[in-house]
Amino acid sequence: MNHNTLFTVQEATYELLRRLGLTTIFGNLGSTELPFLKNFPSDFQYVLALQEASAVAMADGFAQAAGTPALVNLHTFAGVGNGMGNISGAYMNKTPLIILGGNQTREMLVGDVYLTNVEETTLPKPWVKWSYQPVRAEDVPAAIMRAYAVALQPPAGPVFLSVPLDDWDKPALGSAVVRTVSTRVAPDPGRVKGFADKISSASNPVLIYGPDLEKAGGWDIGIRFAEKLQIPVLFSPFTERISFPVTHPQFQGSLPPAIGPLSKRLRGFDLAIVIGAQAFRYYPYVAGPYLPDGTELLQITADPNEAGTAFVGDSLLGDPQLALEALIDLVPDRPKRGWPSLRLPPLKISSDGEVLYADEAFSALDDSRPADTVLVTETTSNVTELLNAWGIAAPGS
Amino acid sequence: MNHNTLFTVQEATYELLRRLGLTTIFGNLGSTELPFLKNFPSDFQYVLALQEASAVAMADGFAQAAGTPALVNLHTFAGVGNGMGNISGAYMNKTPLIILGGNQTREMLVGDVYLTNVEETTLPKPWVKWSYQPVRAEDVPAAIMRAYAVALQPPAGPVFLSVPLDDWDKPALGSAVVRTVSTRVAPDPGRVKGFADKISSASNPVLIYGPDLEKAGGWDIGIRFAEKLQIPVLFSPFTERISFPVTHPQFQGSLPPAIGPLSKRLRGFDLAIVIGAQAFRYYPYVAGPYLPDGTELLQITADPNEAGTAFVGDSLLGDPQLALEALIDLVPDRPKRGWPSLRLPPLKISSDGEVLYADEAFSALDDSRPADTVLVTETTSNVTELLNAWGIAAPGS
Amino acid sequence: MNHNTLFTVQEATYELLRRLGLTTIFGNLGSTELPFLKNFPSDFQYVLALQEASAVAMADGFAQAAGTPALVNLHTFAGVGNGMGNISGAYMNKTPLIILGGNQTREMLVGDVYLTNVEETTLPKPWVKWSYQPVRAEDVPAAIMRAYAVALQPPAGPVFLSVPLDDWDKPALGSAVVRTVSTRVAPDPGRVKGFADKISSASNPVLIYGPDLEKAGGWDIGIRFAEKLQIPVLFSPFTERISFPVTHPQFQGSLPPAIGPLSKRLRGFDLAIVIGAQAFRYYPYVAGPYLPDGTELLQITADPNEAGTAFVGDSLLGDPQLALEALIDLVPDRPKRGWPSLRLPPLKISSDGEVLYADEAFSALDDSRPADTVLVTETTSNVTELLNAWGIAAPGS
Amino acid sequence: MNHNTLFTVQEATYELLRRLGLTTIFGNLGSTELPFLKNFPSDFQYVLALQEASAVAMADGFAQAAGTPALVNLHTFAGVGNGMGNISGAYMNKTPLIILGGNQTREMLVGDVYLTNVEETTLPKPWVKWSYQPVRAEDVPAAIMRAYAVALQPPAGPVFLSVPLDDWDKPALGSAVVRTVSTRVAPDPGRVKGFADKISSASNPVLIYGPDLEKAGGWDIGIRFAEKLQIPVLFSPFTERISFPVTHPQFQGSLPPAIGPLSKRLRGFDLAIVIGAQAFRYYPYVAGPYLPDGTELLQITADPNEAGTAFVGDSLLGDPQLALEALIDLVPDRPKRGWPSLRLPPLKISSDGEVLYADEAFSALDDSRPADTVLVTETTSNVTELLNAWGIAAPGS
């Protein structure tokens, strides 16, 4: 690239963001962010939020819906602080967010002047994969490239870059280097073989699908895998994504989010195969064994931390879709068999019409919604009723 | 105390909070906080906020207005995250807040289950003075006592305690030990003498009062000190508290928040005496010397960090009120002299009545307000007009 | 397991360590570690070091030589501090170490008494993959299991567990759950295909082998891959492991550890294929382009951080051995060709016998050493002479 | 200052260090520190240690002996790691150390190249008061000035500055600003009065002197205070400094370092006045009440953290010497009374001359030592015998 005139860090950054496809910026800005935003390019879009928490939440939703990383622009100091709640949520969601936080001008940072983001790399911890302030203005584009590479690799998640306000107008080193990285890994073939053997020799296994199977693009292979094995499919507790059609005859409900009840639900199965989920995301503490006597557990996850935090079981590290693709040819076809209909709890009828029950509400919404409705719900306690009422049968829902 | 029946950690805590006077709790709660709040005592008050940021902000305002520490109760994980912006503000305000964050039950924390506040003591950093999760349930009351002691000592500020939800129902060790600590320190008398000598021998000194003089209860001694010296009083940049009556003839305005202009404003003074302020809280970067040629700077502050971050000058560590009380007898009376009236900028009149200027608005509000009105303003760019219009002449305003 | 008598945390831990094969413990202990070590089982071995730094170094060497994780036992507080230097080295070496640090008794930790490891999980950062103190004594074995799982997964590295001294004698929950995890992942097959296409269409590519190829067990596949492609093999800068026989005709030397010279060395190659190395581990700063004009770079690494920190190039995440096994069938055989002998610098002869040059020393040692000699050297500046003199031609050397 | 030629960051730094009196540098260096040390000024002294731990230990001892801050120069990364054990010791000793750690050149830090001190400000935590890497080369001198100010203010302690190797040759902004700060604070006079009242009305109080009384220069006032009150003087547990002559009749021994025994030793006293010590530095856990029934505790300390961690009692924050000077005129003279001789344990005689007991050894050493002998001992378990044998009766010993 030939730069006849001064090529600034800001210009190099927009060029890089454009090449990375990061042209939508979610933010709530203040004075420390203005130098980044002046002469805002017309092919970029700035989605302004009224508070930083909302900026992060919108970016998280956008990235999940679009299946791409998203760029967030937060005000220095208390602004980054305001975003921390939803940054921790994005971390749990494994959403790749590149978060740029402003900071005062380098000239005055040693004196902790007004709007200094003191210990700027500490604040976002532990809820980002990487937290950094470039040690020179000219390293900002390279640091964004590194942030992008870190955010995308498995398990994906948010990263934080602090940029002093005077960096943007400094001369750039030139166009930023653009690099590409892997967004997924496959399981170790040797270990896949061991898992296949265990599945093949189990007499009464059960599949437990978690949110990361769908996120990995594993909806179709998940159905084929289940249909080949002809065994029940359950959802992991508190799954925020549906990885299997709830209308499929093999779908047999969600696991309860507590140690004792979950263990009770697995009685009679000699092997529980957890795919794309923590083992397990318990919520209330209810005592009991982690597994019933005679049940073993296998876990397939792309997240080493999920393998680390499992209470029981052996783990296979790798992308859930790739893992099922590697496994499916190594496990036997089992004969088709009949499935009990998943008995739904009867609709609660509010006798006097004064109390609106959750299932009534969901049914009414379901009757009138367009096919591509997006429902945003905060009512985790009614998810069972919601699944019953809406009968989700397509991925990404 | 004789406890015939089981005395729980929760009961010991309420007893301790009562003895510490922390009977107003600001919070936004979830399931992890319920065990703390069940059987909520009738002599306590829970001020519920709709989001954690508001809970912290209300507690900050309450503590500043009441001159006491305040208790905050935040939901685990993202809840603490939501509060971080205003926690950083409270840290800058030096407001003593005891912040209790919830956490999952100890039985399941090793597995990072749903609602676990992972690395719970890292999240609030660097904006709390102390961050801790007791290593046993029975240590919760002692940890609150320690948190209180840490929060109150100079410079005051927020502290964070993470409490797993099952701790509250565990047996207590007994009533908590109640301790008292110092809330201020006096300056080193030898160093006071040196400061007094410098002030006495200066030919044209100036006083620069910052927010911490008023917070320290130094309104009256500040007036007497200024009147004894018969020198001008300026406000430090961006002071969030007024430490001197703006109607006093010696009041000569606020310092601009930039290096060059501030230095220019101090031309002709051979000694700048900064009391209860950072030196200085600059905002935009405007190049220039920190001080004019021939000007020296003395700083009196209770905050070692403010002494550390000063760009220039010698510092005296101690409570501003106590420092002035120690200094006032060591500096000479100077003869009374006339003062130029602080020329106010003329009111901007909006010719067509369609644009409302800030000074019009503040004047109109001033005409109709009760004497004890509390104005909460976000418009830092109009503070000069506000001071002109309202003529604040009493402490705590 | 039937425990007729009290089964303690200590007993459950030794049982777990035995099942994990961690029966050699490297340490330097003090009073806070005694409860862990009393009644030391006869099938365990404690390798006592005189200072903690040595304990960590021995464990690192042992783990690397044995190809297994190793257990380290450090004294609380300053003891862990002493170990930090070599812990950071183990982190860079990707050596799986499970480090147990002592701590005072839980009863007194809230008061920071003598030998308290204050903020015990902060001290080892950022040089451990996980830092934790169990929130209850009974969670110690589960935390060790989790630590083991975290340490082993790619990229492997040290983990830190702080254990209060009174935890060891507390009743255990029962036998610890033993789990297994993946120790490597395979590259994404789709991305492998892309890499294969680039390699196939390159006209003059070069292989750059780094230390992690040998560590991954890729010595043989590395030779076969190179011989199939018939292209030169270079070593990455500062490689601490040799991944290719220096006696092989295709071996053409090591890359210099500086930007400009390294780039110069790659002139004429249109594709640099880096396997199992950072891109690059520069040491002195010597300006220059990262790559010559017309050269592209591919990197294969099991470490997402190495993909993140690369200055240039596209990265493929996965075990180097598995990656070459996946690639080898997708790249073309190239015809055998002759290779220039790697011209060695002539031996420096010390004319008067008073100065011993490095190559003389290494040659003399080589003449007299047994075949399985282990040379520990601190002289990074003479590695070239060492490689010349010793002609290493087997893996693990 | 007129700089006709280029004035570098290194030159500005040596000029600043000279003015601060930091002309002795303790260190263990490597390539990242060479630019700081080239053209080493002849009026500076570099004390080279063979490992970083020793460099820190020597600096700690030097600073304590000289009563001044000391400068430490550590190698990057593992070098700083090696120093952490003794840095934590210096933190506990409240020794003001200014620690400069090297780092790679700024040009390459974004790529984590060889010898990069990754997350350079995290590593020294939590054992430094401040951890910083200047955001520009030209801020190095100002950061050193800030580090000095932070290290010296009460409670003193180590601070850490990371300096990239290329910073030293960059142009300086000019001569560094030199500032002075307080090294001690006085107690709040109002609270002093309350403490004086409690002491005056106690019927049988006891003084407990800790190490910080002597460090504060309070040896003489400590004797006068004790003699005015005519009450026993005990040493706090594990005191590393003697704050009162062990030959003085009022000296009645050291408190045992365990909860139960210490409480037992205080039986009969209605008020324990702890000066310059933690309350208390317990070591083994021995159950018991913190204080006997009927005993109250007052603590005088310059360290807010010691006030925070006290298990019982009310605390007065301020320099111990200044506190006693403020108190001595407010407490009553009590009549002189006789004191029981502190019965020493009889000398253990080794019957056969083959075993050398500690008291024999200390006695033998005492007989032959010069008056200003410095004994460095690691044998904390024989401190009682040592005090008996040597009869320390002068401050600073």
Side-chain angles (χ1 to χ4, degrees):
Chain A
M1 176 164 295
N2 186 5
H3 303 296
N4 294 322
T5 57
L6 178 70
F7 187 59
T8 64
V9 166
Q10 188 214 23
E11 289 165 332
T13 296
Y14 279 112
E15 185 186 276
L16 172 65
L17 295 176
R18 195 176 281 118
R19 294 182 64 191
L20 296 175
L22 296 171
T23 56
T24 304
I25 307 177
F26 299 85
N28 177 284
L29 71 152
S31 52
T32 50
E33 290 69 48
L34 288 178
F36 170 51
L37 296 171
K38 74 174 179 189
N39 305 323
F40 193 71
S42 59
D43 58 334
F44 279 68
Q45 186 177 9
Y46 196 95
V47 182
L48 182 68
L50 291 182
Q51 206 243 31
E52 286 82 359
S54 311
V56 176
M58 286 192 294
D60 188 348
F62 175 86
Q64 288 198 50
T68 64
L71 192 69
V72 183
N73 178 232
L74 299 185
H75 191 39
T76 178
F77 166 52
V80 180
N82 285 336
M84 281 313 301
N86 285 335
I87 291 171
S88 68
Y91 187 89
M92 297 301 283
N93 292 338
K94 300 170 192 165
T95 306
L97 298 183
I98 292 93
I99 304 169
L100 300 181
N103 205 351
Q104 257 284 8
T105 178
R106 282 186 196 264
E107 274 88 353
M108 301 192 292
L109 282 178
V110 74
D112 282 5
V113 300
Y114 189 59
L115 294 186
T116 295
N117 196 6
V118 179
E119 282 199 40
E120 68 293 319
T121 58
T122 297
L123 173 55
K125 293 178 186 171
W127 297 115
V128 293
K129 293 182 67 181
W130 189 50
S131 183
Y132 196 68
Q133 181 173 278
V135 300
R136 303 182 306 166
E138 50 265 55
D139 295 324
V140 169
I144 292 176
M145 183 65 242
R146 179 170 168 187
Y148 183 87
V150 173
L152 267 185
Q153 292 181 94
V159 295
F160 176 77
L161 271 192
S162 168
V163 185
L165 71 89
D166 54 328
D167 283 3
W168 299 110
D169 287 341
K170 294 279 162 64
L173 295 172
S175 294
V177 172
V178 177
R179 297 184 282 128
T180 67
V181 294
S182 297
T183 56
R184 57 182 193 170
V185 291
D188 177 358
R191 198 162 170 84
V192 166
K193 183 68 176 55
F195 268 50
D197 291 346
K198 285 213 169 176
I199 295 170
S200 301
S201 63
S203 58
N204 192 22
V206 60
L207 286 166
I208 299 167
Y209 282 1
D212 288 353
L213 176 57
E214 193 273 342
K215 288 189 199 175
W219 180 272
D220 292 336
I221 185 74
I223 296 174
R224 287 195 289 125
F225 192 72
E227 291 179 348
K228 186 171 193 201
L229 287 177
Q230 287 290 311
I231 57 177
V233 175
L234 300 173
F235 286 162
S236 65
F238 279 127
T239 187
E240 81 274 14
R241 292 279 189 112
I242 303 304
S243 292
F244 193 75
V246 298
T247 52
H248 192 287
Q250 283 174 254
F251 176 66
Q252 296 291 311
S254 288
L255 283 173
I259 296 172
L262 186 150
S263 165
K264 199 169 160 192
R265 179 68 183 82
L266 293 180
R267 277 188 201 158
F269 297 110
D270 63 340
L271 185 67
I273 309 155
V274 180
I275 301 169
Q278 192 174 359
F280 289 101
R281 193 179 285 184
Y282 302 118
Y283 173 28
Y285 177 69
V286 182
Y290 293 116
L291 289 175
D293 271 354
T295 306
E296 283 189 69
L297 187 144
L298 300 177
Q299 179 196 38
I300 298 171
T301 174
D303 183 350
N305 192 49
E306 279 184 359
T309 59
F311 287 93
V312 283
D314 295 324
S315 175
L316 179 64
L317 189 63
D319 179 81
Q321 180 191 3
L322 293 176
L324 291 190
E325 283 173 357
L327 278 170
I328 198 164
D329 294 333
L330 304 176
V331 297
D333 278 272
R334 301 196 189 208
K336 279 224 151 65
R337 56 164 161 148
W339 293 98
S341 161
L342 185 62
R343 285 165 305 140
L344 303 182
L347 271 188
K348 289 175 192 148
I349 302 298
S350 58
S351 54
D352 55 3
E354 290 191 353
V355 177
L356 181 69
Y357 285 98
D359 39 17
E360 288 181 291
F362 292 134
S363 280
L365 285 170
D366 191 41
D367 292 344
S368 58
R369 70 181 169 104
D372 59 350
T373 298
V374 171
L375 177 73
V376 176
T377 172
E378 266 221 327
T379 172
T380 48
S381 48
N382 298 118
V383 167
T384 304
E385 286 89 343
L386 175 61
L387 293 180
N388 278 346
W390 283 43
I392 293 165
S397 42
Chain B
M1 176 165 292
N2 186 4
H3 303 296
N4 294 323
T5 58
L6 178 70
F7 186 59
T8 65
V9 165
Q10 188 214 25
E11 289 166 331
T13 297
Y14 279 113
E15 184 186 276
L16 172 65
L17 295 177
R18 195 175 282 119
R19 293 183 64 190
L20 296 175
L22 296 170
T23 56
T24 304
I25 307 176
F26 299 85
N28 177 284
L29 72 151
S31 51
T32 51
E33 291 68 49
L34 288 177
F36 170 51
L37 295 171
K38 74 174 181 191
N39 304 323
F40 193 71
S42 59
D43 58 335
F44 280 68
Q45 187 177 9
Y46 196 95
V47 182
L48 182 67
L50 291 182
Q51 206 242 31
E52 287 84 357
S54 311
V56 176
M58 286 193 294
D60 188 347
F62 175 85
Q64 288 199 50
T68 64
L71 193 69
V72 183
N73 178 232
L74 300 184
H75 191 38
T76 177
F77 167 52
V80 179
N82 284 336
M84 281 313 301
N86 286 334
I87 291 172
S88 68
Y91 186 89
M92 297 302 282
N93 293 338
K94 301 168 192 166
T95 305
L97 298 182
I98 292 92
I99 304 170
L100 300 182
N103 205 350
Q104 256 284 9
T105 177
R106 282 185 194 265
E107 273 88 353
M108 301 191 293
L109 283 177
V110 74
D112 282 5
V113 299
Y114 189 60
L115 295 185
T116 294
N117 196 7
V118 178
E119 282 200 40
E120 68 294 318
T121 59
T122 297
L123 173 54
K125 293 176 186 173
W127 298 115
V128 294
K129 294 182 67 181
W130 189 52
S131 183
Y132 196 69
Q133 181 173 277
V135 300
R136 304 181 306 168
E138 50 265 54
D139 295 323
V140 169
I144 292 176
M145 184 64 241
R146 179 170 169 188
Y148 183 88
V150 173
L152 267 185
Q153 292 181 94
V159 295
F160 177 76
L161 271 192
S162 168
V163 184
L165 71 89
D166 54 328
D167 284 3
W168 300 110
D169 287 340
K170 295 279 163 63
L173 294 173
S175 293
V177 172
V178 176
R179 295 184 283 129
T180 67
V181 293
S182 296
T183 57
R184 57 182 192 171
V185 291
D188 176 358
R191 198 162 171 84
V192 165
K193 183 68 177 53
F195 267 50
D197 291 346
K198 286 212 169 179
I199 295 169
S200 300
S201 62
S203 58
N204 193 22
V206 61
L207 286 167
I208 299 167
Y209 283 1
D212 287 353
L213 176 58
E214 195 272 344
K215 287 189 199 174
W219 181 271
D220 292 336
I221 185 75
I223 296 174
R224 286 195 289 124
F225 192 73
E227 291 180 348
K228 186 171 191 202
L229 287 177
Q230 285 291 310
I231 58 177
V233 175
L234 301 173
F235 286 163
S236 64
F238 278 126
T239 186
E240 80 274 14
R241 291 280 189 112
I242 302 304
S243 292
F244 193 74
V246 299
T247 53
H248 192 287
Q250 283 175 255
F251 176 66
Q252 296 292 310
S254 289
L255 282 173
I259 296 172
L262 187 149
S263 165
K264 199 169 160 192
R265 179 69 182 81
L266 292 180
R267 277 188 201 158
F269 297 111
D270 62 341
L271 185 66
I273 309 155
V274 180
I275 301 169
Q278 193 174 357
F280 288 101
R281 193 181 285 185
Y282 302 118
Y283 173 27
Y285 176 68
V286 182
Y290 293 117
L291 289 176
D293 272 353
T295 306
E296 283 189 68
L297 187 144
L298 300 178
Q299 179 195 39
I300 298 171
T301 174
D303 183 349
N305 192 49
E306 279 185 357
T309 60
F311 287 93
V312 283
D314 295 323
S315 175
L316 179 64
L317 189 63
D319 179 80
Q321 179 190 4
L322 293 176
L324 291 191
E325 283 173 358
L327 278 170
I328 198 164
D329 293 334
L330 304 176
V331 296
D333 278 273
R334 299 197 190 208
K336 278 225 150 66
R337 55 165 161 146
W339 293 97
S341 162
L342 186 62
R343 283 165 307 141
L344 303 183
L347 271 189
K348 288 175 193 151
I349 302 300
S350 57
S351 54
D352 56 2
E354 290 193 353
V355 177
L356 180 68
Y357 285 98
D359 38 16
E360 288 182 292
F362 291 136
S363 281
L365 285 170
D366 190 41
D367 292 343
S368 58
R369 69 182 169 105
D372 60 350
T373 298
V374 171
L375 177 73
V376 176
T377 172
E378 267 220 327
T379 172
T380 49
S381 47
N382 297 120
V383 167
T384 304
E385 287 88 343
L386 175 60
L387 293 180
N388 278 345
W390 282 44
I392 293 165
S397 43
Chain C
M1 177 166 293
N2 186 5
H3 303 296
N4 294 322
T5 57
L6 178 70
F7 187 58
T8 65
V9 165
Q10 189 215 24
E11 289 165 331
T13 297
Y14 279 112
E15 185 186 275
L16 172 65
L17 295 175
R18 195 176 282 118
R19 294 182 63 190
L20 297 175
L22 297 170
T23 56
T24 304
I25 307 177
F26 299 86
N28 178 284
L29 71 152
S31 52
T32 51
E33 291 68 49
L34 289 177
F36 169 52
L37 296 171
K38 74 174 181 190
N39 305 322
F40 192 71
S42 59
D43 57 336
F44 280 66
Q45 188 178 10
Y46 196 95
V47 182
L48 182 67
L50 292 182
Q51 205 242 31
E52 286 84 357
S54 311
V56 176
M58 287 193 294
D60 188 348
F62 174 86
Q64 287 198 49
T68 64
L71 193 68
V72 183
N73 177 231
L74 300 184
H75 191 38
T76 178
F77 166 53
V80 180
N82 285 336
M84 281 313 301
N86 286 334
I87 291 172
S88 69
Y91 186 89
M92 296 302 281
N93 293 337
K94 300 168 191 167
T95 306
L97 299 182
I98 292 92
I99 304 169
L100 299 182
N103 205 351
Q104 258 284 8
T105 178
R106 283 185 194 265
E107 273 87 354
M108 301 192 291
L109 282 177
V110 74
D112 282 5
V113 299
Y114 189 59
L115 295 185
T116 294
N117 196 7
V118 178
E119 282 200 40
E120 68 293 320
T121 58
T122 298
L123 173 56
K125 293 178 187 172
W127 298 115
V128 293
K129 293 183 68 182
W130 188 51
S131 184
Y132 195 69
Q133 181 173 276
V135 300
R136 303 181 307 166
E138 49 266 54
D139 295 324
V140 169
I144 292 176
M145 184 64 240
R146 179 170 168 187
Y148 183 88
V150 172
L152 268 185
Q153 293 181 95
V159 295
F160 177 76
L161 270 191
S162 168
V163 184
L165 72 89
D166 54 328
D167 284 3
W168 299 110
D169 287 342
K170 294 279 162 64
L173 295 173
S175 293
V177 172
V178 176
R179 296 183 283 128
T180 67
V181 294
S182 297
T183 57
R184 57 183 192 169
V185 292
D188 177 358
R191 199 163 170 85
V192 165
K193 183 68 177 53
F195 268 50
D197 291 347
K198 286 212 168 178
I199 295 169
S200 301
S201 62
S203 58
N204 192 23
V206 61
L207 286 167
I208 299 167
Y209 283 1
D212 288 353
L213 175 58
E214 193 273 342
K215 287 190 199 174
W219 181 271
D220 292 336
I221 185 75
I223 296 173
R224 287 194 290 124
F225 192 73
E227 292 180 347
K228 187 171 192 200
L229 288 177
Q230 286 291 312
I231 57 177
V233 174
L234 301 173
F235 286 162
S236 64
F238 278 127
T239 186
E240 80 272 14
R241 292 279 189 112
I242 303 303
S243 293
F244 193 75
V246 298
T247 53
H248 193 286
Q250 284 175 255
F251 176 66
Q252 297 292 311
S254 289
L255 282 174
I259 296 172
L262 187 150
S263 164
K264 199 170 160 192
R265 179 69 183 81
L266 292 180
R267 277 188 202 158
F269 296 109
D270 63 341
L271 185 67
I273 308 156
V274 180
I275 300 170
Q278 193 175 357
F280 289 101
R281 195 180 283 186
Y282 302 120
Y283 173 27
Y285 176 69
V286 182
Y290 294 117
L291 290 176
D293 272 352
T295 305
E296 283 189 67
L297 188 144
L298 300 178
Q299 180 195 39
I300 297 172
T301 174
D303 184 349
N305 192 49
E306 280 185 358
T309 59
F311 287 92
V312 283
D314 295 324
S315 176
L316 179 64
L317 189 63
D319 179 82
Q321 180 191 3
L322 294 177
L324 292 190
E325 283 173 357
L327 278 169
I328 198 165
D329 292 333
L330 305 176
V331 296
D333 279 273
R334 299 195 191 209
K336 279 224 151 66
R337 57 166 161 144
W339 293 98
S341 161
L342 186 62
R343 283 166 306 142
L344 302 183
L347 270 188
K348 289 176 191 147
I349 303 299
S350 57
S351 53
D352 56 3
E354 290 192 354
V355 177
L356 180 68
Y357 285 97
D359 37 18
E360 289 180 291
F362 292 134
S363 281
L365 284 171
D366 191 41
D367 291 344
S368 58
R369 69 182 170 104
D372 59 350
T373 298
V374 171
L375 176 73
V376 177
T377 173
E378 267 220 327
T379 172
T380 49
S381 47
N382 298 120
V383 168
T384 304
E385 286 87 345
L386 175 60
L387 293 180
N388 279 344
W390 283 42
I392 294 164
S397 41
Chain D
M1 177 164 293
N2 186 5
H3 302 296
N4 293 321
T5 58
L6 178 70
F7 187 59
T8 65
V9 165
Q10 188 215 23
E11 289 165 332
T13 296
Y14 279 112
E15 185 186 275
L16 172 66
L17 295 176
R18 195 176 281 118
R19 294 182 64 191
L20 296 176
L22 296 170
T23 56
T24 304
I25 307 178
F26 300 86
N28 177 284
L29 71 152
S31 53
T32 52
E33 291 68 49
L34 289 177
F36 170 52
L37 295 171
K38 74 175 179 191
N39 304 323
F40 193 71
S42 60
D43 58 334
F44 280 68
Q45 187 178 10
Y46 196 95
V47 182
L48 182 67
L50 291 182
Q51 205 241 33
E52 287 83 359
S54 311
V56 176
M58 286 193 294
D60 188 348
F62 174 85
Q64 288 198 50
T68 63
L71 192 69
V72 183
N73 178 231
L74 300 184
H75 191 38
T76 178
F77 166 53
V80 180
N82 285 336
M84 282 313 301
N86 286 335
I87 291 172
S88 69
Y91 187 90
M92 297 303 282
N93 292 338
K94 300 170 192 167
T95 305
L97 298 182
I98 292 93
I99 304 168
L100 300 181
N103 206 350
Q104 257 284 9
T105 178
R106 282 186 195 263
E107 273 88 353
M108 301 191 293
L109 283 178
V110 74
D112 283 5
V113 300
Y114 188 60
L115 295 185
T116 295
N117 197 8
V118 178
E119 283 200 40
E120 68 293 319
T121 58
T122 297
L123 173 55
K125 294 178 187 172
W127 298 115
V128 294
K129 293 182 68 181
W130 188 51
S131 183
Y132 196 69
Q133 181 172 277
V135 300
R136 303 180 308 165
E138 50 265 55
D139 296 324
V140 169
I144 292 176
M145 183 64 241
R146 179 170 168 187
Y148 183 87
V150 172
L152 268 186
Q153 293 181 93
V159 295
F160 177 76
L161 272 191
S162 168
V163 184
L165 71 90
D166 54 329
D167 283 3
W168 300 109
D169 287 342
K170 294 279 162 63
L173 294 173
S175 293
V177 173
V178 176
R179 296 184 282 128
T180 67
V181 294
S182 298
T183 56
R184 57 182 192 172
V185 291
D188 176 358
R191 198 161 171 86
V192 166
K193 183 66 175 57
F195 268 50
D197 291 346
K198 286 212 169 178
I199 295 169
S200 301
S201 62
S203 58
N204 192 22
V206 61
L207 286 166
I208 300 166
Y209 283 0
D212 288 353
L213 176 58
E214 194 273 342
K215 287 190 200 174
W219 180 271
D220 292 335
I221 185 75
I223 295 173
R224 288 195 289 125
F225 192 74
E227 292 180 347
K228 187 171 191 201
L229 287 177
Q230 286 291 311
I231 58 177
V233 175
L234 301 173
F235 287 161
S236 64
F238 278 127
T239 186
E240 80 273 14
R241 292 280 188 112
I242 303 304
S243 293
F244 193 75
V246 298
T247 52
H248 193 287
Q250 283 175 255
F251 176 67
Q252 297 292 310
S254 289
L255 282 173
I259 297 172
L262 186 150
S263 165
K264 199 169 160 193
R265 178 69 182 81
L266 292 180
R267 277 189 202 158
F269 297 109
D270 63 340
L271 185 67
I273 308 156
V274 180
I275 300 170
Q278 192 175 359
F280 287 102
R281 193 180 283 185
Y282 302 119
Y283 174 27
Y285 177 69
V286 182
Y290 294 116
L291 290 175
D293 272 353
T295 305
E296 283 189 69
L297 187 143
L298 301 178
Q299 179 196 37
I300 297 172
T301 174
D303 183 349
N305 192 48
E306 279 185 358
T309 59
F311 287 93
V312 283
D314 295 324
S315 175
L316 179 64
L317 189 63
D319 179 81
Q321 180 191 2
L322 294 176
L324 292 190
E325 283 173 357
L327 277 169
I328 198 165
D329 294 332
L330 304 176
V331 296
D333 279 272
R334 300 196 190 209
K336 280 223 150 65
R337 56 166 163 145
W339 293 97
S341 161
L342 186 63
R343 283 165 305 140
L344 303 182
L347 271 187
K348 289 176 192 146
I349 303 298
S350 58
S351 53
D352 56 4
E354 290 192 355
V355 178
L356 181 68
Y357 284 98
D359 38 18
E360 288 181 291
F362 291 134
S363 281
L365 285 171
D366 191 40
D367 292 343
S368 58
R369 68 180 170 106
D372 59 350
T373 297
V374 171
L375 177 73
V376 176
T377 172
E378 266 220 327
T379 171
T380 48
S381 47
N382 298 118
V383 168
T384 303
E385 287 86 345
L386 175 61
L387 292 181
N388 278 345
W390 283 42
I392 293 165
S397 43

